Amino acid sequence: MKVLIVSQYFWPESFRINELIQSLIKRGVDVDVLTGQPNYPEGVVFPGYRAGACQQEYWSGARIYRVPLAPRGSKSAIKLAFNYLSFVVSGLLIGPWMLRKNNYDVIFVYAPSPILQAIPAIFLGWLKRCGVIVWVQDLWPESLQATGYVRNPRILAAVAQVVRFIYRHSDLLLVQSEAFEARVAALAPGTRVVYYPNSVDSSFAVPSEMSLPDIPALKEGFCIVFAGNIGTGQAVEVIVEAAALLTEYADIRFVVLGHGSRWDWMREEVQVRGLSNVYLPGRYPVETMPGLMQKASALLVTLADQPIFAATVPSKVQAYMAAGKPILACLNGEGARLVSKAQAGLVSAAENAQALADSILCLYKMTDAERAQMGENGRRYFKEHFDQDILTDQLIDHFHAVSASSKGQE
């Protein structure tokens, strides 16, 4: 089985697709990757890469083909739009040339925003005469509107038509949340839609003995750890507000690991308010996160109070469950439902700082045994529903089915 994976985001950027590719290769799948120049999340191209370059390299047994990409920059909707469109254009014009000697059984698109990255994959599927599977991580155009990047109704309507084109020209659509199924199916008449959740590498459940960064804030007290992107969608304002409500509890501290478009705002707000219980040590390599999560008393996930985010399951929910720590879920919808169903932590409404502060105090006052039971509940639920080995086998089955179907239609 030879698979081309198309993803605007890939190693050395930290995304779920990295671990999935390693898992596929371990099962004997021959993997090529068509991607861009790494620049997420800071918006600056990583050292060793050039925005306008075409290059090939190897990583963990996968052949990587990188096309030119305009970096996303920082806090600029125009630069972000150019970033999205540059991958589409490079993928359409340069991707076929770089892959001209290669044939594939199936093309798989890892599709967080932007869904537009599926366009070159569909063209390549036509050229290579193979099926295309799109793994939908975000709902477009809803996510554009929810994050505030696009508000013009005409532009949103045009994007919806592009999304409809992508869905209709895919052979299989996988969705990361059960709540996505009906919404995606409404734009994809004739295309099969299947629930396929995110997972995480097994290291989150069994952290390695690797040396970890020295973060003094994690060494004492009741540490609430938020890990991941610090952006508009995460509504990190609620973290600052909850911290302000809990200043009298000297033992409770918030440790925010990560970076993103709202990191500077958080830092300034913490300084202005004089919040000594919030720590922003920055972003660390993804391989250190399992070990750092083990130092937490609880793990925090937040999302904005928007209908689109209520349908989304942040991939960190699976990571937190695997880590076996109690979860504080300040969000609505599917993510909250999973945490509650697994009895893996406490849930509060999205962007409700008082409710989040109350949940934190409730968890803080529990016994160690009660908190440990929540963590164990989450880990057990992860193994039953999100185990990476099981999900990788399911994905390979999808590859074979789509490949057989596309060959039968020739």
Side-chain angles (χ1 to χ4, degrees):
M1 173 65 62
K2 188 167 184 177
V3 177
L4 172 65
I5 293 179
V6 178
S7 175
Q8 181 170 331
Y9 310 102
F10 184 60
W11 174 90
E13 297 167 325
S14 298
F15 281 88
R16 162 71 185 126
I17 191 62
N18 302 347
E19 291 79 22
L20 180 57
I21 286 175
Q22 290 177 317
S23 188
L24 289 170
I25 291 172
K26 288 178 182 177
R27 283 161 173 73
V29 178
D30 189 359
V31 176
D32 287 356
V33 181
L34 179 66
T35 188
Q37 304 296 331
N39 69 109
Y40 183 91
E42 284 86 357
V44 178
V45 175
F46 286 26
Y49 298 90
R50 291 184 296 114
C54 296
Q55 62 195 89
Q56 296 183 32
E57 59 185 324
Y58 286 85
W59 178 78
S60 293
R63 289 173 295 274
I64 307 171
Y65 299 84
R66 295 191 184 273
V67 296
L69 184 75
R72 60 193 289 126
S74 175
K75 302 177 183 178
S76 171
I78 294 177
K79 287 185 177 180
L80 186 63
F82 275 114
N83 172 256
Y84 289 171
L85 292 174
S86 66
F87 181 75
V88 174
V89 173
S90 292
L92 286 170
L93 299 181
I94 300 174
W97 178 80
M98 295 187 75
L99 302 169
R100 63 192 180 280
K101 297 181 180 180
N102 303 352
N103 293 311
Y104 299 101
D105 295 299
V106 69
I107 296 175
F108 177 68
V109 184
Y110 173 68
S113 291
I115 189 69
L116 303 178
Q117 63 192 290
I119 294 174
I122 291 170
F123 180 59
L124 285 164
W126 176 73
L127 285 178
K128 304 293 183 181
R129 297 184 179 181
C130 63
V132 176
I133 300 173
V134 178
W135 190 14
V136 181
Q137 296 287 322
D138 290 321
L139 292 177
W140 269 44
E142 295 95 325
S143 61
L144 283 177
Q145 186 175 19
T147 53
Y149 284 112
V150 179
R151 291 190 174 92
N152 187 299
R154 292 183 179 180
I155 296 177
L156 292 170
V159 171
Q161 290 302 314
V162 174
V163 172
R164 189 185 301 272
F165 171 86
I166 291 169
Y167 288 171
R168 293 183 65 182
H169 288 81
S170 301
D171 295 275
L172 176 64
L173 295 167
L174 303 178
V175 293
Q176 60 100 311
S177 165
E178 291 181 353
F180 279 19
E181 291 185 71
R183 298 188 186 202
V184 170
L187 294 176
T191 304
R192 189 175 174 223
V193 181
V194 177
Y195 170 58
Y196 183 75
N198 284 298
S199 182
V200 291
D201 185 81
S202 59
S203 64
F204 281 87
V206 186
S208 68
E209 297 299 321
M210 69 178 297
S211 177
L212 296 174
D214 182 27
I215 304 177
L218 289 174
K219 292 181 179 180
E220 59 184 35
F222 188 81
C223 294
I224 301 163
V225 171
F226 174 100
N229 185 47
I230 304 170
T232 304
Q234 287 69 42
V236 292
E237 297 84 357
V238 76
I239 301 175
V240 174
E241 294 294 339
L245 292 170
L246 296 171
T247 52
E248 64 183 279
Y249 296 89
D251 201 35
I252 298 177
R253 55 183 60 195
F254 296 78
V255 182
V256 181
L257 304 176
H259 214 281
S261 62
R262 296 291 284 167
W263 190 88
D264 288 335
W265 176 88
M266 282 196 79
R267 180 182 59 180
E268 293 171 5
E269 197 70 10
V270 166
Q271 291 175 347
V272 168
R273 294 190 179 208
L275 297 176
S276 60
N277 57 348
V278 180
Y279 301 82
L280 299 163
R283 185 166 66 97
Y284 293 90
V286 65
E287 57 269 18
T288 67
M289 296 314 298
L292 294 176
M293 286 182 183
Q294 291 303 313
K295 296 180 177 294
S297 305
L299 297 168
L300 172 62
V301 54
T302 62
L303 280 180
D305 184 12
Q306 296 274 358
I308 174 61
F309 294 128
T312 301
V313 179
S315 58
K316 70 178 66 177
V317 169
Q318 284 92 341
Y320 287 179
M321 286 184 174
K325 293 289 183 176
I327 300 171
L328 289 160
C330 184
L331 41 73
N332 301 331
E334 280 296 290
R337 183 186 67 81
L338 280 177
V339 173
S340 295
K341 185 177 180 180
Q343 298 182 355
L346 300 179
V347 173
S348 55
E351 298 192 52
N352 189 327
Q354 184 61 63
L356 174 58
D358 291 342
S359 291
I360 291 169
L361 281 179
C362 181
L363 191 67
Y364 175 68
K365 294 175 181 179
M366 287 182 181
T367 65
D368 290 342
E370 289 172 324
R371 290 193 291 265
Q373 185 60 59
M374 283 184 172
E376 183 55 36
N377 291 344
R379 180 170 286 171
R380 181 171 59 250
Y381 194 90
F382 173 85
K383 291 179 179 178
E384 292 174 355
H385 298 275
F386 305 122
D387 180 81
Q388 179 166 260
D389 290 336
I390 295 173
L391 290 176
T392 302
D393 290 340
Q394 290 178 7
L395 183 59
I396 293 173
D397 288 342
H398 289 312
F399 289 168
H400 283 293
V402 169
S403 176
S405 178
S406 62
K407 290 177 181 178
Q409 294 174 359
E410 291 182 5

